[in-house]
Amino acid sequence: MQIVVDLTRCQGYAQCAFLAPEMFEMHGEEALLYHPAVPEGQRERVRQAAAACPVQAILLGEEVSPGAR
Ligand code: SF4
């Protein structure tokens, strides 16, 4: 699973950083840092974070890694 955050939409509400602190991190007031590749154990949190984002800036992709079916 992969994530892309549309940083032009992101308003720095930090809902995502609150719900999935290992994946999203606020850097200062508005800059969001995130990890694009979501490990297995973080999927549910990331889904919640994406659902909670007030501006739907978090896009989820079910990318399958090469070799996996
Ligand atoms: S919840 Fe959405 S708007 Fe808020 S910091 Fe995360 S991506 Fe940005």
Side-chain angles (χ1 to χ4, degrees):
M1 188 194 216
Q2 309 259 334
I3 42 179
V4 175
V5 178
D6 183 346
L7 294 172
T8 59
R9 277 188 175 207
C10 172
Q11 300 293 317
Y13 291 117
Q15 296 292 339
C16 55
F18 177 73
L19 286 163
E22 297 188 21
M23 301 303 300
F24 303 95
E25 193 184 332
M26 295 308 296
H27 214 256
E29 290 270 301
E30 286 196 357
L32 177 72
L33 298 179
Y34 67 100
H35 300 282
V38 182
E40 197 73 35
Q42 290 289 323
R43 288 183 180 196
E44 198 46 46
R45 281 171 173 269
V46 165
R47 284 206 182 89
Q48 289 176 3
C53 175
V55 293
Q56 278 93 49
I58 302 171
L59 308 172
L60 305 180
E62 298 289 343
E63 212 111 315
V64 182
S65 53
R69 284 204 305 147

